[in-house]
Amino acid sequence: LFWESFEGWDGQTMPWLPTDKNNWQTKSNIEDLTPYIMDGLCPTWTVFKGDGYYVPYATSGDQMLVCMYGDDVYDTDGVSVVAPAPQQDEWLVSPTVNNIGKANYLSFDVCYSPWNTHFFIENNERVFDPSRIAYDVEVLVTTNRRSASYNQEDYTVVYRLSEEADKQIALVDMDDDEAVAQLLYMNWHHVQISLADYEGQNIRVALRY
């Protein structure tokens, strides 16, 4: 019923989304993205091309959807200090997908490091705290909306990245150094979610960072 490959980025414009074809709608709570973009970051939803190092290559095609973690970098007495950017709340809402069938499903690939969901920057040091979530990504579904909504009360959460990351962490033997090291790597994971509960309805899918 609906497919998006996120191809077509010109390699320069940020943020960029494929509005010409599928009319994705977005909302960021960061008032001015310019300083971040000048530093090569875009802490809201945008299409980007992986380099195989900082950003893994896409699972298909050349480009992918990303939401970068925003850091503020500034100098203090000649020392570069890194501090978290203002709290991100980044929404991306799909066009309406009509007449969902019982056999339809939501399918996507997501890339992340499980341990990075618990890393914080405090006093210019990276701190790992499993009791706190550093960032999260939610996939949400809403029905019969004529326009995009950025209110979580209008949606049902069908996927939460932090929960999946914690499941992976829980399965690892912490005495196995190699297995623990794998938790730090950025790896792709395939997700498939049944939409049977939305049979006969029209839906929008939202991504919230």
Side-chain angles (χ1 to χ4, degrees):
L1 295 179
F2 178 81
W3 165 260
E4 180 60 76
S5 65
F6 296 106
E7 297 295 308
W9 181 51
D10 62 11
Q12 296 181 339
T13 305
M14 290 194 297
W16 183 90
L17 295 167
T19 54
D20 59 327
K21 181 178 66 173
N22 284 331
N23 193 29
W24 291 84
Q25 298 183 54
T26 184
K27 180 178 183 295
S28 172
N29 79 328
I30 298 177
E31 294 182 0
D32 185 7
L33 293 169
T34 304
Y36 301 100
I37 293 173
M38 290 178 64
D39 285 336
L41 296 174
C42 186
T44 191
W45 293 107
T46 186
V47 172
F48 203 70
K49 185 174 181 178
D51 59 12
Y53 185 73
Y54 292 107
V55 181
Y57 293 120
T59 54
S60 64
D62 293 324
Q63 297 166 3
M64 72 198 82
L65 182 72
V66 300
C67 188
M68 300 178 185
Y69 179 86
D71 287 343
D72 283 334
V73 182
Y74 55 92
D75 290 331
T76 301
D77 297 329
V79 178
S80 181
V81 178
V82 180
Q87 180 64 44
Q88 290 167 271
D89 186 9
E90 313 305 310
W91 285 81
L92 181 66
V93 182
S94 78
T96 300
V97 183
N98 296 314
N99 196 23
I100 298 297
K102 187 174 184 179
N104 289 140
Y105 55 87
L106 175 64
S107 175
F108 56 91
D109 296 323
V110 58
C111 187
Y112 60 91
S113 157
W115 267 23
N116 274 351
T117 60
H118 296 288
F119 269 117
F120 297 84
I121 301 173
E122 296 177 349
N123 299 320
N124 204 31
E125 294 183 357
R126 286 170 63 83
V127 176
F128 178 74
D129 185 349
S131 67
R132 294 184 291 165
I133 301 296
Y135 72 90
D136 211 344
V137 176
E138 294 176 336
V139 179
L140 312 97
V141 174
T142 188
T143 58
N144 296 315
R145 297 206 63 85
R146 295 181 180 177
S147 60
S149 166
Y150 307 107
N151 184 351
Q152 188 159 1
E153 293 181 356
D154 294 329
Y155 291 88
T156 298
V157 177
V158 296
Y159 173 88
R160 187 172 282 117
L161 186 148
S162 62
E163 293 178 354
E164 298 304 313
D166 283 350
K167 289 177 183 177
Q168 294 173 50
I169 293 172
L171 293 173
V172 170
D173 179 359
M174 293 301 167
D175 293 325
D176 185 339
D177 292 341
E178 183 175 346
V180 171
Q182 288 290 329
L183 294 174
L184 289 167
Y185 297 148
M186 296 283 288
N187 289 312
W188 284 102
H189 306 268
H190 184 69
V191 179
Q192 185 165 303
I193 300 166
S194 172
L195 294 175
D197 290 345
Y198 300 97
E199 182 181 8
Q201 301 184 73
N202 305 330
I203 68 169
R204 285 179 181 264
V205 177
L207 308 179
R208 185 186 187 193
Y209 182 98

